[in-house]
Amino acid sequence: MANKLPVMVAHGGAWAVPDATSEETLQCVKNAAKIGYRILLQGGSCIDAVVAVVSALEDNPLYDAGKGSLLTTNKDIEMHAMVMKGDTMKCGGVLGVQRVKNPVQVARLVMEKTEHCMLDGENSLSLAKEHNVPEMPLEYFVTDSAQKEFDTFMKYRNCVDTLFNSKRDHDTVGAVALDLDGNVACATSTGGITGQMPGRVSDSGIPGSGGFADNNSLAVSSTGHGESIIKVSLARLASLHSEQGCSPQESVNKALKFMKDRTEGHGGAIALDKKGRVGIGFTTIKMSWAVIGGKLELTENNGQNRIAYGILPNELRVEQFES
C-alpha cells in the first residue's frame, strides 16, 4: 500500500558531544535529514534516502564515520557500515574497510551486487574498486581531534576503562526512512573507537545489531557501546518488542533498558514503523537526532512541513521546513 507522506529520521551518534560543537552537530544532522526527505518526496526509495543521509554524515568530520573516523593502535582507520531493506529483508554490511570515502555505499553494493550479507575489509574494498566508489588517502580521514584523541590514548592507555567509557566514546551515524511505497529501510556507519585493536568488528556493520529493517516491525539504527550492542542484538531486540505490540518508542526504551541492565552498556537508537510512528531514545549524555514527517509520541503528527530535532535528554525543538 502506498504511503501518503514519507518519513525521514537521522542521528549523529549517542555520546558526550562537546558543548562547543553540540549545536553544529545538531544542525548538520538536520541538514542531512532534509537531503533524505527531499529524495523521498521525489519518489526515491527508502534505501536511496538512508544511504544519501549517511553519506552526507560520513563526509562531515564532526562525526565518527567516514571522514571523522578514529585511529586504531597501529594508527590506521577501519570503518564499518550496513544497510537493510524492510520489504525483502535484504541487507549488506562491510567490516573493517579502509580508504573508501563512503563505506555505506559499499554496504549497499554488498546488498545489491552480491549474494552475501557481509564482506570483510579487503574484499569489500575490492568490490568498491570494481564499482568505482571513490577512495581517499589516510590523511583525508584523520582529523586534528582524532589525532589528539589518539595521542591521549597512547599517553594514558593503561587507563583503558576510562578511555572506553561507554557514555563518552564517539560513535555511529545512522538513518531510517519510510518511502511513498510504504517500505522502510535503515543504514548505519562508524569509524570505530580510538585505540581499538586492528581487526575489531563494530556493531555498525552487523545486521541485527547496528541496524535492522522489516516492514512487519521496525526499521532501527543503533548507536553506542558497540560490544554491548552486539551482545544484545539491539536493533533486532527493539523490533521484537514491536512484534509483541509495543510502539516504536516503547520498543526503543525497552531495548536500551535491557542493554543497560544486562551489560551496563549505554547507547541510543532511532526506530520507525510503516505507519510512520517514530521512536527515539538514548542513555548517553547526548544524541543528536532529527525527524521529518511521521509521528513522535511527544508531539502531534509532525507533518510534511515540520522538522523535529534535539540533542539533550527530553529535548524537543520543532520548526517549519520548506521542502
Side-chain angles (χ1 to χ4, degrees):
M1 180 182 295
N3 199 49
K4 291 182 179 179
L5 289 175
V7 184
M8 188 75 240
V9 190
H11 73 78
W15 66 293
V17 185
D19 292 342
T21 58
S22 287
E23 195 61 29
E24 184 179 3
T25 297
L26 182 53
Q27 294 301 319
C28 291
V29 168
K30 284 172 55 184
N31 291 338
K34 291 175 183 178
I35 291 170
Y37 192 73
R38 291 187 178 109
I39 289 171
L40 295 170
L41 280 181
Q42 295 167 4
S45 72
C46 48
I47 279 288
D48 293 335
V50 295
V51 170
V53 169
V54 171
S55 293
L57 295 172
E58 288 175 336
D59 291 343
N60 191 320
L62 281 173
Y63 306 101
D64 174 21
K67 191 172 185 178
S69 295
L70 300 176
L71 289 163
T72 66
T73 53
N74 64 355
K75 297 193 70 172
D76 212 331
I77 57 101
E78 296 178 356
M79 300 173 287
H80 312 260
M82 62 81 60
V83 297
M84 188 167 182
K85 296 175 58 178
D87 55 346
T88 62
M89 295 185 69
K90 290 194 67 175
C91 58
V94 293
L95 306 175
V97 67
Q98 297 178 309
R99 309 296 182 267
V100 173
K101 183 171 180 285
N102 294 107
V104 72
Q105 296 178 16
V106 190
R108 182 176 187 172
L109 288 173
V110 174
M111 179 180 71
E112 295 181 342
K113 302 297 183 180
T114 80
E115 297 301 316
H116 309 303
C117 292
M118 291 185 284
L119 289 179
D120 67 9
E122 184 175 337
N123 292 293
S124 57
L125 182 57
S126 296
L127 182 67
K129 290 177 183 291
E130 180 182 341
H131 292 274
N132 301 311
V133 177
E135 294 179 43
M136 301 299 286
L138 177 62
E139 293 75 21
Y140 167 84
F141 299 96
V142 183
T143 62
D144 289 343
S145 62
Q147 185 62 57
K148 288 177 182 177
E149 281 200 27
F150 179 79
D151 293 342
T152 300
F153 171 82
M154 295 303 293
K155 185 176 181 180
Y156 300 106
R157 63 188 305 170
N158 291 332
C159 304
V160 67
D161 288 343
T162 299
L163 291 173
F164 288 166
N165 184 310
S166 64
K167 288 186 179 181
R168 301 192 63 85
D169 284 342
H170 290 251
D171 206 67
T172 313
V173 300
V176 294
L178 171 66
D179 62 27
L180 292 173
D181 290 326
N183 296 317
V184 297
C186 70
T188 305
S189 180
T190 191
I193 55 178
T194 299
Q196 67 184 25
M197 291 178 60
R200 170 191 177 260
V201 173
S202 164
D203 66 286
S204 301
I206 303 175
S209 293
F212 184 78
D214 181 357
N215 281 4
N216 293 329
S217 56
L218 296 174
V220 182
S221 175
S222 306
T223 169
H225 185 242
E227 280 68 20
S228 298
I229 291 172
I230 291 171
K231 288 173 185 176
V232 303
S233 299
L234 184 65
R236 178 59 178 137
L237 179 60
S239 74
L240 284 171
H241 287 306
S242 173
E243 291 172 13
Q244 293 165 359
C246 293
S247 70
Q249 188 62 58
E250 292 170 331
S251 298
V252 167
N253 291 345
K254 287 187 175 185
L256 289 171
K257 183 179 186 302
F258 180 82
M259 183 172 77
K260 183 179 178 182
D261 290 346
R262 295 292 291 121
T263 72
E264 299 184 353
H266 294 265
I270 56 176
L272 172 65
D273 68 12
K274 64 182 180 183
K275 296 179 181 178
R277 299 183 300 170
V278 177
I280 295 169
F282 54 100
T283 58
T284 50
I285 297 170
K286 298 178 184 178
M287 184 181 84
S288 55
W289 58 270
V291 179
I292 308 176
K295 185 179 186 306
L296 283 160
E297 287 192 1
L298 297 175
T299 69
E300 298 297 324
N301 287 331
N302 203 31
Q304 179 178 349
N305 296 315
R306 300 174 75 198
I307 181 168
Y309 57 99
I311 192 168
L312 294 169
N314 301 314
E315 179 183 19
L316 175 65
R317 307 187 213 174
V318 181
E319 64 185 42
Q320 293 299 114
F321 162 59
E322 296 299 326
S323 56

